[in-house]
Amino acid sequence: MTTEFKKRTDKPVRHLDQVTIRFAGDSGDGMQLTGTQFTTSAAMLGNDVFTFPNYPAEIRAPQGSLYGVSGFQVQIGAKNIDTPGDKLDLLVAMNPAALKKNLKDLKKGGMLIVDTDAFNKINLQKAKYESNPLEDGSLKDYLVVQVPMTSLTREALKDIPIDSKSKTRSKNMFALGMVYFLYGKDPKYTVEFLRKKFKNKPDIVEANIKALQTGWNYAETLELLPAFVVDEAPHHAKEYKIITGNTATAWGFLAAAEKAGLKLFLGSYPITPATDILQELSKYRALDVIAFQAEDEIAGISSAIGAAFAGKLAITTTSGPGLALKSEALGLAVMLEIPLVVVDVQRGGPSTGLPTKTEQADLMQALFGRNGESPAVILAAKSPADAFKMAFEASKIALEHMTPVILLTDGYIGNGSEPWTVQRLKDLPEIKPPLLKEPVENWKPYHRDPETLARKWVIPGTPGLEHVIGGLEKDKETGAISYEPENHEYMVKIRQAKVDKIAGFIPPLETEFQSEGELLVVGWGGTYGALRTAVGQLNEKGKKVGLAHFNHINPLPKGVEKVFEKFDKIIVAELNLGQFANYLRMKHPEFRYEQYNKIQGLPFTVEELVKAFEKLLK
Amino acid sequence: MTTEFKKRTDKPVRHLDQVTIRFAGDSGDGMQLTGTQFTTSAAMLGNDVFTFPNYPAEIRAPQGSLYGVSGFQVQIGAKNIDTPGDKLDLLVAMNPAALKKNLKDLKKGGMLIVDTDAFNKINLQKAKYESNPLEDGSLKDYLVVQVPMTSLTREALKDIPIDSKSKTRSKNMFALGMVYFLYGKDPKYTVEFLRKKFKNKPDIVEANIKALQTGWNYAETLELLPAFVVDEAPHHAKEYKIITGNTATAWGFLAAAEKAGLKLFLGSYPITPATDILQELSKYRALDVIAFQAEDEIAGISSAIGAAFAGKLAITTTSGPGLALKSEALGLAVMLEIPLVVVDVQRGGPSTGLPTKTEQADLMQALFGRNGESPAVILAAKSPADAFKMAFEASKIALEHMTPVILLTDGYIGNGSEPWTVQRLKDLPEIKPPLLKEPVENWKPYHRDPETLARKWVIPGTPGLEHVIGGLEKDKETGAISYEPENHEYMVKIRQAKVDKIAGFIPPLETEFQSEGELLVVGWGGTYGALRTAVGQLNEKGKKVGLAHFNHINPLPKGVEKVFEKFDKIIVAELNLGQFANYLRMKHPEFRYEQYNKIQGLPFTVEELVKAFEKLLK
Amino acid sequence: MTTKIKYTFKDFQSDQEVRWCPGCDDYVILRSLQKALPLMNRPKEKFVFVSGIGCSSRFPYYMDNYGIHGIHGRAAAIATGVRLANPDLSVFVITGDGDSLAIGGNHFIHALRRDINLNIILFNNEIYGLTKGQFSPTSKIGQKTKTSPYGNTQPPFNPGELAIGADARFFARVAGNDAKGQTEIYVQAHAFKGTALVEVLQNCVIFNDGAYKFWTDKNVRDEHTLFVEHGKPMIFGKNRDKGLILDGLQLKTVTIGQNGITEDDILVHDAHNPDPVLHMMLVRLKNPLVLGVIRAVEEKTLEEREIELTEQVKARSRIKSFDDIVS
Amino acid sequence: MTTKIKYTFKDFQSDQEVRWCPGCDDYVILRSLQKALPLMNRPKEKFVFVSGIGCSSRFPYYMDNYGIHGIHGRAAAIATGVRLANPDLSVFVITGDGDSLAIGGNHFIHALRRDINLNIILFNNEIYGLTKGQFSPTSKIGQKTKTSPYGNTQPPFNPGELAIGADARFFARVAGNDAKGQTEIYVQAHAFKGTALVEVLQNCVIFNDGAYKFWTDKNVRDEHTLFVEHGKPMIFGKNRDKGLILDGLQLKTVTIGQNGITEDDILVHDAHNPDPVLHMMLVRLKNPLVLGVIRAVEEKTLEEREIELTEQVKARSRIKSFDDIVS
Ligand SMILES: Cc1ncc(C[n+]2csc(CCOP(=O)(O)OP(=O)(O)O)c2C)c(N)n1
Ligand SMILES: Cc1ncc(C[n+]2csc(CCOP(=O)(O)OP(=O)(O)O)c2C)c(N)n1
Ligand code: SF4
Ligand code: SF4
Ligand SMILES: [Mg+2]
Ligand SMILES: [Mg+2]
C-alpha cells in the first residue's frame, strides 16, 4: 500500500499567526479522533495548539439529530496560543445538523467544508432545516466547499475487502486529508497512528490511509483553495506532549507520589467530567497506584481518608454534585489533619445541571461547603498543562502541611488539551511529608511544627506510636476528646492558622502585562487563557491593563493589597455569578470590585472580554 | 397525705429584678426535671423566664464523674428576660463533681447549696479534688449552705414503702423545695405535676411531695436565709407556654401546614441537637403528620422532596453534619423549584465537633454549600419562642415562593426554653401556595408568577397537567431538558431573582434602642437575647448604641444601607469566626465591619459583650 | 376511586424525542411498560415515575405522566416520599445497576425492607452506560471496562440475592429483549401490594454488548432460561422437556422422559411461599437462569401499617387541630 | 512478617476512661476483644480499629492501638481504604445497628460483596443508643421508642440475612453477655481471610433493656439458642438433648432419644459450604436462635486479587517510574 502524499504545489502561501478549526459531525462520525489527529500533527510540526472538545450528553444520539452533534475545536498558532479560539476560520460539517449547530461560530468569510452526500431530505428534516442551506443562499457570507465526501470515500475504497459501514465511516479521514492539505501539514503522524491502532486489521489501516490520501488529493484539485501556512511557534518547548487537563492532573499526582516516596491511592466514583482522571490512573498498576472505584462518592473520599491514615498519598476526584456528597467526610479530614487532595472538575450547575458543560460555580462550595469552621486549602488550575503543576503542588501542600486540599479544575480544561512541556522527577521540587517513624519522648499526636503548624504523620504499623484520632473536638496536645470551651476556640483558630500560614510557602501574587495602570483584570482557574489573550490584545492597543490570575485561592497569596492598590479599577471576570469577587470582598474589603460574569456552560470568548474591559477604560 | 406548705414568715424581703439559678448534679440526679419544674412554677407565678440546659454527651456517665455532670440554668425576672443569665446568684451542687464544674460561674458572694452527704472521699476523688472544698476554705467568697440532703430526705421518707434507691432519688425534690422557699414560690404546680406524672404510683407521689415539703421546711429553719422576691413581670402575656426552641419549631410547622390546608411530612434522621423536632412531630399522628425516620439524612431530604412533589408541606430537620450530607439533594430542590424547609439546629463543628454544644458556624454552609449557583432562602430564629414564628414563616415562604428554605436555629435555643405566647390558627397570617388544580390553556411547568417569580405547584393526581421535572437544566418554559447557553444563564439568574424578590415580602430591617448613633451592634439568630440585654445595659448607661438583629439572611431585608449608614461604627457579633460579617462584606461592601467572635460551644455572656462593645465607644 | 379508562400505549408517550443509542434494550423496556400501563386500569395522572441518573433514568421524560428525574441513587428515597405522601398514586422507580446498587444501595435495601408499595424497575446492564463504560457492582470479575483496563477485581452482587437478603417480598427477572414477558411482569409488579423489584437483563450495545447472550440469544434462550409462573411446574427447553427438581438442598435439571422422570416429578413454582429459601435457590441458578416472577409474598405494606396506626391514634385522640395542642 | 509477642489484655487498654452506661454489654465486648487480641499473634501496632458514630463507636478510644473514630456510617468505607493501602494491617470495623444498617448500609453491603479482609463487629442493640433511644433498622415492629411513640411500623432487617444476600463469606452471631463465646469468635473472625461479620446481640440497658432476654437470660439461653461449630452436630439444650434436622426445606428441632432420634440424625454444621442456602436457613431461625460461626467460606479476597493483578501487570510493563510514562 502506498502512503505517498503528493507535495503541495509551490504556489504562494498565506502565512497566518493562528487558525481556528472545528470538525463537527454525528457522535458516530469520529470527530474527536479527527480533531485529535489534526492537533497532534500540527503540534508535532511545530505549532502551538489548544483544543476544546464539545460532545453531547447522550451516548449515541440517533444519527443526524441536532443534539447528537459532536464537535472538536482546535486553534493552532505560530505564536503562543492560550485558547481554542473564539470564531472559526474553518468549519468542517459532516451533516446538516452539524452545520445548523455550528455555523453561528464561523467567521464571516470563513471557509465551510460540507459533505454534500449528507444533505439529503431526511437529514435536513432531522436538523430542522426548512430548505437546503446549500441551495437557498443562506450561506452566501461564507466560502462554501461542497464535497460529496461519502461517495468519494466509498468509491476510493471499493476494492478493499471491508464491510460497507466501515467504508462509510472512513469519510472522517477524507475530511482530515483535505484539512491537512489545506494547511500544508504532513499526514505522516496520522499514518503512523493508524498503523499502530489497527495493527491487527490491515484492511482497516489501508482503508483509512486511502481515505486520507483521497481527501488530500481531492483538496489539491480544488484550485479555489488558497494555501495557508501557520508557521512553527518560536518558543515551542523541545520536548512536550499534548495532554488534556484531566490527564495532566493524573500525571501530576503520579509525579508527586513518587517524589514524596509514597504510593498513590485514589478513591473515586465516576462522574462527568472527572471520570477521565480515574480512568487514567487505573492504568498505572505498574506504579502500584491503587485506583479504587468505590460504591459512591462518600466511600470514595472515606476510603481515601483511610488510605491517608495508612500512609498513602490519598486523593479523590469528582465534580460538583460529588463534592457536595463529600462535604461531611471532608470535614472529618479537616478535623483529623491528614493529607488529602480532592479534585473537583467543575461542570454546569446547580444540581445535575449541565454535566458536559463548563462553569466555575463550585468555588463557594469548595471554600465553605462544610459544617462548622472547616478551613481547607483551595487551589485552581489555569489550563490543561497547568493542571499537572497544580496537582503536584496540591499534593505537596497536603503532605507537607497535613491538610486537605481542594483542587478546582473544570470541564473546559479537563477535556481541553495543549502542549505540556515534559517534566521528569528531577525537574520537580522535593516533597517532604512530616513522617514520624520512631517514638520520640513526650510526643503527642497533636503536637505541631512551629513553622507550618502541621502535626506529625504517624503511620499505623509504627511500633510505640499507637494513637486514635477522630471527628470530635480534640485536646490540643493529645488529640483525646475534649469538650473544653477554651480548647475548642484554640483548635478552631489553629486549624485556620495552619491554612493561613501556607501563604508563606507559595509565590506572592504577580501581575502580567502591567504592574500598575488603569485596569486590573482579576481571574482564577480555567479562564486564564481567554483572559490573558484579551488583556494581551488590549495592551497591544496601548491600554495599561494588568492581569492578576489566581492559582491559590485559600490562602490567597501574599501581596494582594500591593498589587491591587496600583490600579484605578479592578474587574473580576469569572464563569459564575461573582463568587471570587465576593470572596475578595471578604478578604480585601478595602477595594472596589467590578464584575464580568458569564454562566452559559461555555468558556469566555476573547472578543466578549475585550469588549467588557474596554467599557471600563476611558 | 398533706400537701400544705407553711407560708413564709413575713419578714422584710428583698425585691430583685432577676435571679439566675443553676441546678447541677449527676446525670442520674434529675437536674433537668428539677430545673424545668422551677421554671414552670416561676413562670406560672408571673415571672419571665429563660432556661439553658447543659448535659453531657454521654448517656449515663459513671456516678460522680466530672464528665457526667448535668446542669440546668434558669433566669427568672420581674421584667423582660432574654437570656438564661451570665453569672449565678444561686448554685445548687448535688455532688463534688457538680461543684467543681460549675463553681466558676457563681458570682462572688453568691449562694451555694450543697448536699454534704455527697462530699465523701470517693466522690471527691472522682471530682479530682485534692482536699474537701467544704473544709479547706476555698469557698470563702460564697455564701455556702451545707445541707445533708440525702440523709434528711431518706429520714423523711423512712415510712413510705418504696425501695431505698427511689428514696435517695427524691433528694432533687428536697433541693427544689428549698429553692421554692428561698424565692417564695408556691410549689403547687410541682405537686400537681407529680400527681399526674406518677398517677399509678401513689407511693412515689407521696415520697416526692414529702421530700419537697421537707426541703421547704428545712429552708425555713435556716434563719440565715434572706428572703428574696422576684416580682411578677408586668408585660407578661396572659396565655403562654414554656417551650423549648425545638418544640416551638415543631409547632410552627404544625400550624403552618394546617393554615395552608396541607398535611405535614417530615423526612428526617436523628442527630443531636435536632432529634427533638422529629420526636415531637412523631406524636401528632392525630393531625395526619407523617414523621418518617429515614435510613439516613440523604433519604430524609429525598423523601421530603418526593412528598413536596406529591403536595405536602415537606420538611427535613438536622444539624451541621447532616446538612452537609443533604447538600446535593438540596441542590435538586433548588432546581425543581419545589417548597421544602430544611432545619439546621447548629452545633459545635467542624465534623462531629461538639455535638451537645452550641455554635453559629453553619451559616456559610447553608448559604453556599451546594454545587453551582444554587440560591436558597435562609432564615434564623432568635430565641426559643421565636422558633415558632420562624418555622411558620419558613413554611409560608417555601410554599408561596416555591423554594427551599433553610431555617437555622442552634443547640442553645433548641434546648433552651422561654415563655411562648400561645397563638392559635386565627392569630396567624394566611398561607396561599400557588396550587394549580385544573388545566389552564398554554400552561407550562416553568411559567412564573410575575410578582413572586414562583412557578405553579401541580400535584400528581391532577388530570391533564402531567409533567416531569428533574435536576438537569431546564427550558425556561416547558421544563424540558435544555443545554442552550442563553437559557441556562436566564435560568440561573431567574432562580436568583426569585429568591431576591422575597425581600419585598418581609419586613424591612429595623433597629432597637437607637436608630442612629455611635455604634450599631449587628447579630443574627440565637444570640439575640444576649445582644439585646447587653445593648440595653449600654443604653441604660447613656450610650447611643443600636441593635440590628437579623431573622432574614437570604435575602437580607430591605433597608440595610439606610440603617447602617446612620451609625459611626458597626460591630457584628456571632458565635463563629465571622461568617455573617463576611456575608455582609459581600452584600454591603460599602460599610466597614468590626467583629466580635466567640467559638467555645457556649452562648455569649452579657458581660463579655458589654465589655467588647464599650471598647468601641469613646 | 379508580376511573376506568381505555388507554393505548400511545397515551403514555411524551412529546420528547427518545435519546438512547440505536439498538439499546431500553427501547424495548419503554415500549413494554407503555403497553403494560393500559392493562393496569388506572387514570394516567395517578402514575408517577421517579428515576435517578443514568441512561435508564432518562425514562420518565419519555412518559406522559408525572415524574421526577432525580439525582444519582436517590430515586427509591424520593419515591418513598411520594408514596407515603399519597398512597393513591402508582409509583414506579426507574433505575440502573449503578444507580440502585452502587450509589443508591442503601435506599434500595431499605425500600425492600420497608415493603412500601413501589415498583422498582432495575435496568441491569452490568455497566455504567451514561458515564461511558465503567464497571458496576454487577459487572463480572475480570470484565474489562474503562476503569478496569486489566479486568475487574470486585465480585458482583446478584440483585435477586441481595433483594431477598433485604427481605424483598416481590422479585422478578426478565430479559431486556423480551417485550411480551416484560409487559406481563410489569402488570404483576403493579398489582403486587408492597415493594416489587423487577430486574431487567438489559443489553447495553455500546459498552457491554452481549453480556446476556448466553441467556437471551434467540437460538439458546429456551435451553438456558426457565420462565417460572406461580402454580406451574418449572419446565423449560425448546421442547419443554426439561425441568427442575430438588436434590437435597440443590436444584437439579432433569429431562422429562429420561430416567423415568415425568412432569409430575418437576417442582411446582410457589411464588407466594413466605419462606425465601427456595426463591433464593432459584435466583442463584445460572443455568437455567430463572426468569419470571420468582417471589411474590404479600404482607401488610408500610403504608398500610402507617394508615392503620394513624387511624387508631386518631380514634382515641382529642387533638383535631393545632389549636387543640395549645389549648 | 509477624513478630511473636506475648501480650495480655492489659496491653490493649488505653488510658482513656471508659464512658458507657453502667451495665451496658459494651463493656463485655470490649473486654472480650481485648482478651482475644493476644491470641491473634500480631504486634499491637498492626491493629487498626475504625469506627463510625454511636455508643459502640467510642470503642477505638479504649484500645491502645491505631484507630479512627470516623463519621456516622462510614467506618467500613474508611477501613476499606486502610486495608487496601496496607494489607499487612489487621483492620477491625466497630459499628452499631444504626451506624452500619441505617446510614452506613451501603458501605456495609459493599464491603461484604468485595470480600476485603476486614473484621466487622456489629453491636446490634436494636436501638440508637447515643442519640438516646430512637428505633433502628433492626428494631421490632411495634417497638415503642422516642421516634415511634405509638410503635414502630418498619419491618426490621435480619443482619445475617442481609449479609448473606450481599454475598458475605463469614457471618457469626454471639450474645453480648457471652464473654467466652465472643473471644473465641473474634479470634476466628480475625483468622478468616475476607470480610468477617460478627453480629453481637448487645443489650442496651437504658433504651432497650431486655431485647434479647428470651435468648440470653441465664435460665433459658441453653434452651433457646444453639451455638454451632464447624464439623459438629447442631445440638443444644441444657441437657444437650435437642438438635436440628432438615425436614424438606425447613429446619426442625428434635429431641435426641425421642421418636428414635439419635445424635447421628442431627445435622452436622458445615460453615465452609460455599452454597449459602443452609446458612440462610440457620440465620433465619428464631428458636433456637443460632449463634457461633454460621458461615466461613474463604475465597480469594479483594486485596489478593488486586495484588495478583498488579504483579501480573508489573511483570510485563516497562513502566517503573513516572519518568517512564513521559519518555
Ligand atoms: C452524585 C453523582 N455521582 C455520579 C454521577 C455520574 N453518573 C451518572 S449516571 C452514572 C452511572 C450510571 O450507571 P447505571 O445506573 O448503571 O445506569 P445506565 O447508564 O447503565 O443505565 C454515574 C456514575 C452523577 N450524575 N451524580
Ligand atoms: C451524619 C450524622 N447523622 C446522625 C448522627 C447522629 N447519630 C449519632 S450515633 C447515631 C445512631 C447510633 O446508633 P447505633 O449505630 O445503633 O449505635 P449505638 O449508639 O446504639 O451503639 C446517630 C443517629 C451523626 N452523628 N452524624
Ligand atoms: S450507552 Fe448503553 S445503556 Fe446507554 S443508551 Fe447506549 S446502549 Fe443503552
Ligand atoms: S445508651 Fe445503651 S448502648 Fe449506649 S452506653 Fe448506654 S446502655 Fe450502652
Ligand atoms: Mg447500568
Ligand atoms: Mg444501636
Side-chain angles (χ1 to χ4, degrees), chain A residues 246-257:
Chain A
N246 279 336
T247 301
T249 304
W251 289 12
F253 291 125
L254 290 173

Side-chain angles (χ1 to χ4, degrees), chain B residues 442-606:
Chain B
N442 278 328
W443 172 81
K444 295 277 179 298
Y446 278 75
H447 279 171
R448 291 172 194 280
D449 178 297
E451 290 275 302
T452 58
L453 298 181
R455 65 186 198 92
K456 289 279 179 209
W457 194 13
V458 178
I459 312 294
T462 313
L465 293 174
E466 290 83 358
H467 66 283
V468 177
I469 56 180
L472 286 160
E473 187 55 284
K474 39 187 55 56
D475 180 80
K476 60 178 174 247
E477 301 252 318
T478 63
I481 302 173
S482 165
Y483 299 116
E484 282 311 309
E486 291 76 20
N487 180 76
H488 178 47
E489 182 144 335
Y490 177 89
M491 288 298 276
V492 165
K493 288 184 172 162
I494 207 145
R495 283 187 290 261
Q496 183 65 52
K498 182 181 70 174
V499 168
D500 293 343
K501 259 189 184 286
I502 292 167
F505 294 81
I506 59 177
L509 184 64
E510 287 188 0
T511 52
E512 293 181 61
F513 300 102
Q514 304 289 343
S515 57
E516 56 177 61
E518 214 180 329
L519 178 66
L520 180 68
V521 173
V522 171
W524 65 278
T527 53
Y528 174 71
L531 292 174
R532 189 172 185 284
T533 310
V535 176
Q537 290 185 8
L538 288 169
N539 274 276
E540 277 167 25
K541 293 187 196 174
K543 309 284 181 189
K544 296 269 280 174
V545 183
L547 173 65
H549 202 86
F550 288 77
N551 270 132
H552 295 91
I553 310 253
N554 193 32
L556 288 169
K558 294 195 170 174
V560 171
E561 323 68 46
K562 281 194 199 131
V563 166
F564 283 13
E565 71 191 13
K566 297 266 171 55
F567 290 85
D568 301 342
K569 285 184 182 166
I570 302 171
I571 185 164
V572 184
E574 47 187 331
L575 299 171
N576 57 37
L577 292 183
Q579 302 190 3
F580 191 58
N582 274 332
Y583 178 64
L584 288 173
R585 287 183 186 112
M586 292 167 43
K587 293 286 170 180
H588 291 283
E590 65 274 26
F591 300 104
R592 192 185 141 81
Y593 305 94
E594 311 289 334
Q595 291 181 203
Y596 183 72
N597 302 101
K598 170 173 173 179
I599 187 138
Q600 305 187 351
L602 294 172
F604 282 131
T605 64
V606 173

Side-chain angles (χ1 to χ4, degrees), chain B residues 55-60 62 65 67 269-270 272 275 278-279 282-283 285 292-293 295-297 325 351-352, chain D residues 17-22 53 58 71-72 74 98 102-103 128-130 134-135 146-147 149-150 154 206-207:
Chain B
Y55 27 68
E58 280 70 28
I59 306 304
R60 291 277 186 285
S65 67
Y67 57 86
Y269 186 74
T272 306
T275 314
L278 167 61
Q279 291 177 178
S282 303
K283 297 178 191 160
R285 282 188 180 267
F292 172 60
Q293 182 179 312
E295 58 272 29
D296 59 20
E297 280 85 354
L325 287 168
S351 192
T352 310
Chain D
E17 215 173 329
V18 183
R19 298 192 180 186
W20 288 305
C21 305
I53 302 283
R58 292 292 172 95
I71 43 178
H72 197 32
R74 316 304 171 190
I103 192 168
Y128 292 174
L130 191 68
Q134 301 77 29
F135 66 86
K146 291 230 187 93
T147 45
Y150 306 108
Q154 302 188 14
I206 303 298
F207 298 113

Side-chain angles (χ1 to χ4, degrees), chain A residues 70-337:
Chain A
S70 170
F72 186 100
Q73 180 169 330
V74 55
Q75 181 171 206
I76 64 174
K79 48 168 211 179
N80 186 40
I81 288 290
D82 289 317
T83 79
D86 286 7
K87 288 279 181 180
L88 309 172
D89 297 294
L90 167 62
L91 170 65
V92 179
M94 303 300 281
N95 69 7
L99 180 63
K100 181 79 164 261
K101 292 273 277 191
N102 292 287
L103 187 65
K104 64 176 188 314
D105 296 326
L106 184 58
K107 281 182 189 155
K108 300 277 148 189
M111 183 184 293
L112 169 68
I113 300 179
V114 293
D115 177 4
T116 50
D117 290 331
F119 281 69
N120 55 33
K121 211 168 143 193
I122 298 177
N123 281 344
L124 287 165
Q125 255 169 18
K126 284 190 190 160
K128 309 212 160 117
Y129 272 119
E130 317 246 298
S131 63
N132 188 341
L134 303 182
E135 294 163 2
D136 66 8
S138 59
L139 301 175
K140 64 178 170 7
D141 290 343
Y142 311 97
L143 183 56
V144 185
V145 183
Q146 303 198 14
V147 188
M149 281 191 221
T150 310
S151 38
L152 288 172
T153 305
R154 295 179 56 87
E155 173 64 23
L157 307 189
K158 68 173 184 292
D159 295 335
I160 301 179
I162 57 171
D163 63 72
S164 158
K165 230 174 165 181
S166 300
K167 284 181 190 166
T168 305
R169 218 186 276 139
S170 306
K171 68 176 181 244
N172 63 333
M173 287 297 124
F174 184 103
L176 182 59
M178 284 187 71
V179 180
Y180 276 146
F181 181 87
L182 187 53
Y183 293 98
K185 299 285 175 206
D186 190 332
K188 67 184 173 190
Y189 296 105
T190 297
V191 170
E192 242 172 54
F193 163 85
L194 291 168
R195 289 226 166 97
K196 210 164 139 193
K197 168 148 182 164
F198 300 110
K199 68 169 171 283
N200 301 320
K201 296 178 184 165
D203 290 339
I204 297 286
V205 174
E206 193 188 340
N208 275 291
I209 295 177
K210 189 82 197 232
L212 194 65
Q213 282 173 323
T214 313
W216 172 281
N217 293 338
Y218 185 85
E220 208 198 356
T221 66
L222 293 175
E223 290 288 325
L224 71 158
L225 288 180
F228 300 116
V229 162
V230 180
D231 293 322
E232 207 166 319
H235 300 299
H236 210 303
K238 278 289 148 294
E239 206 192 356
Y240 63 90
K241 286 183 179 289
I242 304 205
I243 52 177
T244 65
N246 279 336
T247 301
T249 304
W251 289 12
F253 291 125
L254 290 173
E258 199 166 334
K259 199 77 195 185
L262 301 171
K263 304 289 181 202
L264 184 62
F265 179 96
L266 166 65
S268 184
Y269 187 74
I271 184 166
T272 305
T275 315
D276 286 344
I277 306 175
L278 168 61
Q279 292 176 176
E280 178 68 15
L281 287 176
S282 304
K283 296 177 191 160
Y284 297 104
R285 283 188 179 268
L287 295 180
D288 281 314
V289 174
I290 299 180
F292 172 59
Q293 183 179 310
E295 58 271 29
D296 59 20
E297 281 85 355
I298 300 177
I301 186 170
S302 296
S303 63
I305 288 173
F309 181 68
K312 296 263 173 177
L313 168 54
I315 62 172
T316 184
T317 51
T318 192
S319 186
L323 186 60
L325 286 168
K326 289 176 201 284
S327 316
E328 193 211 3
L330 195 46
L332 176 64
V334 168
M335 201 66 152
L336 298 180
E337 304 191 42

Side-chain angles (χ1 to χ4, degrees), chain C residues 54-56 95-99 122-130 134 136 138 202 204:
Chain C
C55 292
S56 32
T95 184
D97 44 324
D99 196 55
L122 171 62
F123 293 40
N124 184 4
N125 53 11
E126 301 186 353
I127 197 84
Y128 293 172
L130 191 68
Q134 300 78 29
S136 94
T138 56
Q202 175 241 325
C204 167

Side-chain angles (χ1 to χ4, degrees), chain C residues 149-198:
Chain C
Y150 305 109
N152 178 27
T153 56
Q154 302 188 13
F157 280 134
N158 175 335
E161 231 178 304
L162 179 63
I164 290 177
D167 205 7
R169 299 354 176 254
F170 182 107
F171 175 73
R173 195 191 272 143
V174 64
N177 62 357
D178 176 6
K180 209 176 119 277
Q182 283 180 47
T183 299
E184 263 169 42
I185 284 178
Y186 298 146
V187 172
Q188 289 186 54
H190 179 263
F192 181 80
K193 213 164 57 69
T195 314
L197 171 63
V198 182

